[in-house]
Amino acid sequence: MRLAVLLSGGKDSLYSCWKAMQTDEVVCLVTILSKNTDSYMFHTPNIELTRLQAEAAEIPLIEYQTDGQEEVELDDLKASLQEAVNRFDINGIVSGAIQSVYQAARVQRICLDLGLWSFNPLWLCNQEEYLQELIDNQFEIYIAGVFSAPFDETWLGRRMDPRFVTRLMSIRDRYGISLTGEGGEYESFVCDAPFFKRRIVITGSEIIYKNHNGRFLITGAELEVK
Amino acid sequence: MIAILDCTRQDLSLLKREFVSPIIIITQIAGFRTIVLPLATLKRPSNLKGIILTGTSLMDDHYLTIGLPEWVLEWAGPVLGICAGMQLITIASGGRLIPSEAIGMTEIRCVNGDQLLDGKEQFTGWELHRSGVEISGNVTVLARSEAGIQMIRTNDRPWYGVLFHPEVRNEWIITNFLNICSKQEQYLDPV
């Protein structure tokens, strides 16, 4: 099957892309550039850097702008997938939804309208095993945003390594956060994945943080031979 | 042993991660051994205590061309059919499918008591389907939503159908089903 992957730049979309590539043909990536930083649908920190990820993976990227207004942004998502149908003749799309029925329902509805298959390789997965799998397979992931207690400034820009997972698990039960951050607790950015031909090196960054709400903004990045 | 009958199209292995793996996780956490088989499997596994028929993607209707295998139709023990699985149970029990498209969370109201429902009166469930069901006389409706029938049980044996996906936010239904399975003696092979 010819598939498009919805790419946010974070771990869930890149892992789902990797899984889809193992059985099917990923012919393009689709990124929605939202002007609304509070969107329920789309991830925003460092979103413009998906361009580098697509280049690293050597897969064409469709970038689509949206103002990010609730429900109107869904028309923009639909238009971006229609473009993927027109340009790359896709049969289906892949998303990184884990538990969010809000996102999953909306993507499913758009796919049905367009006659596309919808695949969610992470749906209801064992989150602990999933994080371990990311680490075991050398995904290079950094924390790009934190949006809830108890995350403070020290988490921003941190690499997701075994110590990170242990620390996450220790706060999970106390604060009721999801390990994968799917409740919007944190967001991530991927610099390297098993299918990248080159890796991204961060050459400049800035941290903005206030009251459990912060972003690790990548101001400079380039591709490096692996 | 619980047999999980995979109703997804077999050449699309990505679907298994979405529709089969969550059922395996819930069943194993409940302490049961599982065997996953494609719907088209011709031979019944041994030491069976129950069968779960999975759902599949909105675009996938391949399961309708396969139907329930003979060994399942002859099985007197507990069966839980989820979405596509409920549609197959409905057809096997003389009912039929009707066009009914639903995606998202919906309010579900219990209308007949059963050990599967454990005293619950209403809850919200995750729907993902393009067909609903009309039942025959040999089936009892356990729950409904505004759009129609959501849960059924056949009258002659403990076969259940749920049109929504209980693996999403309603794992308790699968756990209750597994409790029903564990109370049954192992079923003997039909003579």
Side-chain angles (χ1 to χ4, degrees):
Chain A
M1 204 162 276
R2 292 172 65 81
L3 301 175
V5 175
L6 289 178
L7 180 66
S8 70
K11 59 182 180 4
D12 304 339
S13 55
L14 282 147
Y15 174 88
S16 299
C17 181
W18 181 53
K19 280 290 149 192
M21 288 171 85
Q22 289 168 18
T23 55
D24 293 84
E25 200 184 348
V26 173
V27 293
C28 71
L29 305 169
V30 176
T31 287
I32 305 294
L33 303 167
S34 176
K35 289 182 187 155
N36 177 6
T37 54
D38 297 323
S39 169
Y40 284 116
M41 265 318 274
F42 307 117
H43 166 124
T44 55
N46 304 305
I47 189 73
E48 67 290 345
L49 290 176
T50 56
R51 219 169 289 160
L52 268 187
Q53 291 172 332
E55 229 179 286
E58 296 179 2
I59 304 172
L61 174 71
I62 293 174
E63 291 175 291
Y64 216 89
Q65 301 274 352
T66 179
D67 289 336
Q69 291 166 15
E70 207 177 341
E71 304 307 327
V72 181
E73 65 190 357
L74 301 174
D75 294 335
D76 294 323
L77 175 59
K78 190 171 179 181
S80 72
L81 296 178
Q82 183 63 58
E83 187 179 331
V85 171
N86 299 346
R87 282 175 55 194
F88 296 99
D89 194 25
I90 60 163
N91 318 106
I93 69 139
V94 177
S95 32
I98 300 176
Q99 294 184 326
S100 166
V101 293
Y102 180 88
Q103 286 174 331
R106 281 154 181 79
V107 172
Q108 289 277 6
R109 201 162 295 129
I110 290 169
C111 284
L112 188 61
D113 286 349
L114 296 175
L116 292 172
W117 289 74
S118 165
F119 297 101
N120 295 290
L122 278 169
W123 192 237
L124 308 176
C125 68
N126 178 321
Q127 301 197 9
E128 217 171 299
E129 282 173 17
Y130 163 50
L131 292 188
Q132 194 55 49
E133 208 185 336
L134 287 170
I135 290 167
D136 291 347
N137 288 286
Q138 271 92 46
F139 278 82
E140 188 181 336
I141 303 161
Y142 295 91
I143 303 309
V146 293
F147 307 97
S148 79
F151 294 107
D152 60 22
E153 209 170 339
T154 63
W155 292 82
L156 288 166
R158 269 195 66 168
R159 174 137 186 214
M160 193 179 265
D161 56 14
R163 274 186 54 216
F164 172 93
V165 176
T166 309
R167 201 170 152 199
L168 261 186
M169 282 166 57
S170 73
I171 62 170
R172 169 182 55 181
D173 300 331
R174 216 161 1 126
Y175 292 91
I177 57 155
S178 86
L179 278 184
T180 54
E182 215 206 12
E185 298 93 339
Y186 72 88
E187 283 179 353
S188 63
F189 182 78
V190 174
C191 281
D192 194 13
F195 59 97
F196 280 14
K197 308 280 194 290
R198 288 177 289 169
R199 61 183 288 272
I200 297 169
V201 182
I202 298 170
T203 56
S205 63
E206 200 182 304
I207 284 177
I208 299 170
Y209 179 85
K210 202 180 172 187
N211 297 334
H212 301 297
N213 205 313
R215 283 158 200 271
F216 172 67
L217 298 174
I218 300 170
T219 53
E222 54 194 40
L223 292 176
E224 174 188 271
V225 179
K226 283 170 80 168
Chain B
M1 176 79 75
I2 301 295
I4 297 172
L5 241 63
D6 175 359
C7 293
T8 68
R9 215 175 86 177
Q10 293 300 297
D11 61 334
L12 296 176
S13 59
L14 272 180
L15 292 177
K16 294 179 188 0
R17 299 181 69 94
E18 187 171 342
F19 295 98
V20 185
S21 301
I23 310 292
I24 300 174
I25 294 173
I26 295 167
T27 308
Q28 290 184 348
I29 286 174
F32 288 82
R33 285 189 302 135
T34 55
I35 181 167
V36 179
L37 302 166
L39 181 61
T41 301
L42 295 176
K43 195 170 172 293
R44 199 184 109 185
S46 49
N47 303 320
L48 211 52
K49 288 225 162 180
I51 299 170
I52 299 179
L53 304 161
T54 74
T56 186
S57 163
L58 280 177
M59 294 287 282
D60 185 4
D61 48 18
H62 189 63
Y63 61 95
L64 292 172
T65 64
I66 298 176
L68 291 178
E70 277 303 311
W71 64 269
V72 174
L73 293 170
E74 288 165 1
W75 164 252
V79 176
L80 175 66
I82 296 170
C83 199
M86 164 155 168
Q87 295 173 17
L88 291 172
I89 288 175
T90 299
I91 294 166
S93 59
R96 66 184 193 99
L97 304 189
I98 52 170
S100 169
E101 192 180 295
I103 300 170
M105 299 302 289
T106 194
E107 290 296 321
I108 294 166
R109 198 168 29 87
C110 305
V111 293
N112 272 302
D114 189 278
Q115 47 187 336
L116 188 73
L117 296 169
D118 206 15
K120 274 250 189 348
E121 288 180 0
Q122 57 182 39
F123 56 93
T124 58
W126 169 249
E127 289 191 286
L128 192 66
H129 60 79
R130 288 187 296 149
S131 298
V133 301
E134 262 179 18
I135 55 164
S136 74
N138 200 28
V139 171
T140 301
V141 175
L142 297 183
R144 291 179 177 276
S145 67
E146 221 167 87
I149 298 170
Q150 287 288 341
M151 298 177 82
I152 55 169
R153 186 201 150 135
T154 57
N155 296 339
D156 54 349
R157 46 190 174 177
W159 282 33
Y160 294 94
V162 292
L163 191 59
F164 57 95
H165 287 259
E167 70 274 22
V168 183
R169 312 246 175 127
N170 291 298
E171 293 100 328
W172 59 275
I173 291 173
I174 298 175
T175 312
N176 284 352
F177 172 73
L178 294 168
N179 285 336
I180 293 169
C181 296
S182 64
K183 283 182 205 148
Q184 315 269 334
E185 283 308 306
Q186 192 172 299
Y187 285 81
L188 297 173
D189 285 312
V191 181

